[in-house]
Amino acid sequence: MKNKTSVLPREGEAQPSRCPDNSAFKQQRLPAWKPQLTIASVLSSFFLTGAFCLTVGVCLVLSANSVREIQVDYSDCSNCSKLRENSSNWNKECHCSINFTLKEDILGNVFMYYGLQNFYQNHRRYVKSRSDAQLLGRNVDIQRSYCAPFSTYRNGTPMAPCGAIANSMFNDTIDLFYNYNSSVIQVPLLKTGNSWWTDKNVKFRNPESYNLSSAFAGTARPPYWWKPAYLLDEEDERNNGYVNDDFIVWMRVSAFATFRNLYRRLRRVRRFAEGLPAGNYTFQISYNFPVTRFKGRKHVILSTVAWSGGSNPFLGIAYLVSGTAATLAGFVITGIHLKLRKKKTYFQKQ
């Protein structure tokens, strides 16, 4: 074996210095600014922060309270909930209706949401159970994705779209009718334009083919779906496949167990040009989405929006709490300062 060359310095040789270079950066001689915290600056920062947060909080709470909202629970609508408890009844249709009354006009843009309670979309395996490459219209190997067990059927046919999120898509159909005198008028609702522009044009694309049915050839719908992806909207060919608005909205999972998703928008034409007039209304619901097995609830919501968003006072309350805490802290610091200053003056006189 060869001897290793010694790295130790010989006698008489100067050892290399381990000190940092004599520069302003390494010797910490760079110019710096250190704030001088005086009682005036500290108290002014606390009081200004408190005043700002209280002002913003009041504005947000008033804005949230100005939103008009009607919420109807239809979880136990007719006998449909019991029918959906048995999975063998998946191919049986069940319809129900719920009547409600608007005592005042709801003016402006009106949005229809569906709300779910106790439905957890934030589980790690559920969140990653999708194939973003497939949703972009690419020809990918589903077996290598995170879609399992909703990736392929036993005969090897791939699911389109795959994954647990797509398979559990909300599939109730909700129509709104206006009871005017002795006639019933269907309220015009918009199915498209409810998703984000980036989702519709960037994150979701249909496979390229001369028609949509051939683009999905060789694939099958998810197990819980009633129809394939290319027939989600039989009235509008452009609202089918992976670019269907209802599908895109559902694929944006919620962080909480109670959430709402945008379902429809009021089309402001004819009698509904100014919004929803006061009167009697009816929700006609095709009940397909089961919730009783996981002790969930379903709602349909009609709501307007304000400059700060929908009817959610949480942000305003958070600002009010923060502003109150900052203001109280300012008063406490003021009291401590006055008390200590009196003691200092007393001892100086002694």
Side-chain angles (χ1 to χ4, degrees), residues 19 40 54 75 79 125 140 152 163 172 190 245 252 264-265 273 297 328:
C19 295
L54 289 174
S75 307
N79 294 323
R125 291 188 63 187
V140 295
T152 60
D172 284 357
L190 296 172
D245 274 62
R252 185 175 292 276
R264 297 289 183 265
R265 293 180 296 125
R297 307 295 297 180
L328 290 178

Side-chain angles (χ1 to χ4, degrees), residues 1 103 118 132 172 192 204 228 257 272 304:
M1 296 179 61
K103 297 181 179 180
N118 206 36
D132 291 321
D172 284 357
T192 57
F204 293 82
F272 307 97
T304 60

Side-chain angles (χ1 to χ4, degrees), residues 142-213:
I142 302 301
Q143 296 288 355
R144 297 184 178 180
S145 66
Y146 295 102
C147 291
F150 301 101
S151 55
T152 60
Y153 286 92
R154 293 182 178 179
N155 59 2
T157 304
M159 300 180 189
C162 70
I165 307 176
N167 183 61
S168 61
M169 176 181 168
F170 183 84
N171 57 353
D172 284 357
T173 303
I174 306 172
D175 294 316
L176 181 61
F177 293 88
Y178 176 48
N179 304 317
Y180 181 71
N181 294 334
S182 58
S183 60
V184 178
I185 304 173
Q186 185 171 4
V187 179
L189 300 173
L190 296 172
K191 295 182 180 180
T192 57
N194 301 324
S195 59
W196 294 7
W197 185 91
T198 52
D199 289 344
K200 189 82 171 181
N201 298 275
V202 179
K203 295 183 179 180
F204 293 82
R205 295 286 182 86
N206 283 325
E208 295 182 359
S209 182
Y210 63 91
N211 61 40
L212 203 56
S213 60

Side-chain angles (χ1 to χ4, degrees), residues 7-292:
V7 296
L8 296 176
R10 299 177 181 177
E11 294 183 2
E13 292 183 357
Q15 297 183 1
S17 176
R18 302 180 63 183
C19 295
D21 296 336
N22 188 20
S23 62
F25 177 75
K26 293 187 176 182
Q27 296 296 335
Q28 299 184 9
R29 293 196 301 267
L30 291 174
W33 175 78
K34 181 179 180 180
Q36 298 295 329
L37 298 179
T38 63
I39 188 61
S41 61
V42 171
L43 290 179
S44 60
S45 62
F46 271 95
F47 285 120
L48 288 176
T49 302
F52 173 78
C53 291
L54 289 174
T55 303
V56 174
V58 170
C59 294
L60 290 175
V61 170
L62 292 177
S63 175
N65 292 335
S66 66
V67 174
R68 294 287 310 279
E69 182 175 296
I70 302 295
Q71 182 169 309
V72 178
D73 189 320
Y74 70 98
S75 307
D76 304 319
C77 184
S78 186
N79 294 323
C80 294
S81 58
K82 295 182 180 179
L83 181 69
R84 290 291 174 249
E85 287 182 0
N86 190 349
S87 59
S88 62
N89 298 325
W90 67 271
N91 59 344
K92 296 181 180 179
E93 295 185 0
C94 189
H95 301 275
C96 62
S97 60
I98 296 179
N99 300 321
F100 67 98
T101 302
L102 288 182
K103 297 181 179 180
E104 298 179 356
D105 297 344
I106 300 183
L107 303 178
N109 296 322
V110 182
F111 301 86
M112 179 187 290
Y113 302 84
Y114 62 84
L116 294 176
Q117 289 184 0
N118 206 36
F119 189 92
Y120 290 85
Q121 289 188 310
N122 55 4
H123 193 279
R124 181 179 60 86
R125 291 188 63 187
Y126 182 87
V127 171
K128 72 176 185 178
S129 182
R130 59 188 292 167
S131 174
D132 291 321
Q134 184 194 49
L135 298 176
L136 282 171
R138 300 173 183 171
N139 187 13
V140 295
D141 185 5
I142 302 301
Q143 296 288 355
R144 297 184 178 180
S145 66
Y146 295 102
C147 291
F150 301 101
S151 55
T152 60
Y153 286 92
R154 293 182 178 179
N155 59 2
T157 304
M159 300 180 189
C162 70
I165 307 176
N167 183 61
S168 61
M169 176 181 168
F170 183 84
N171 57 353
D172 284 357
T173 303
I174 306 172
D175 294 316
L176 181 61
F177 293 88
Y178 176 48
N179 304 317
Y180 181 71
N181 294 334
S182 58
S183 60
V184 178
I185 304 173
Q186 185 171 4
V187 179
L189 300 173
L190 296 172
K191 295 182 180 180
T192 57
N194 301 324
S195 59
W196 294 7
W197 185 91
T198 52
D199 289 344
K200 189 82 171 181
N201 298 275
V202 179
K203 295 183 179 180
F204 293 82
R205 295 286 182 86
N206 283 325
E208 295 182 359
S209 182
Y210 63 91
N211 61 40
L212 203 56
S213 60
S214 63
F216 284 88
T219 63
R221 58 175 175 80
Y224 291 169
W225 283 30
W226 287 32
K227 57 182 70 174
Y230 57 86
L231 292 178
L232 289 177
D233 189 353
E234 299 180 4
E235 299 177 358
D236 189 355
E237 295 181 355
R238 298 171 298 178
N239 191 35
N240 274 312
Y242 299 145
V243 296
N244 177 265
D245 274 62
D246 292 338
F247 174 70
I248 292 175
V249 170
W250 178 258
M251 292 300 290
R252 185 175 292 276
V253 296
S254 172
F256 302 99
T258 298
F259 61 92
R260 64 176 62 178
N261 285 335
L262 182 60
Y263 182 67
R264 297 289 183 265
R265 293 180 296 125
L266 175 66
R267 185 181 179 188
R268 298 174 61 179
V269 294
R270 297 186 296 276
R271 190 180 299 276
F272 307 97
E274 301 297 328
L276 290 179
N280 298 321
Y281 289 84
T282 301
F283 282 124
Q284 294 286 351
I285 301 170
S286 178
Y287 198 111
N288 302 315
F289 194 83
V291 294
T292 55

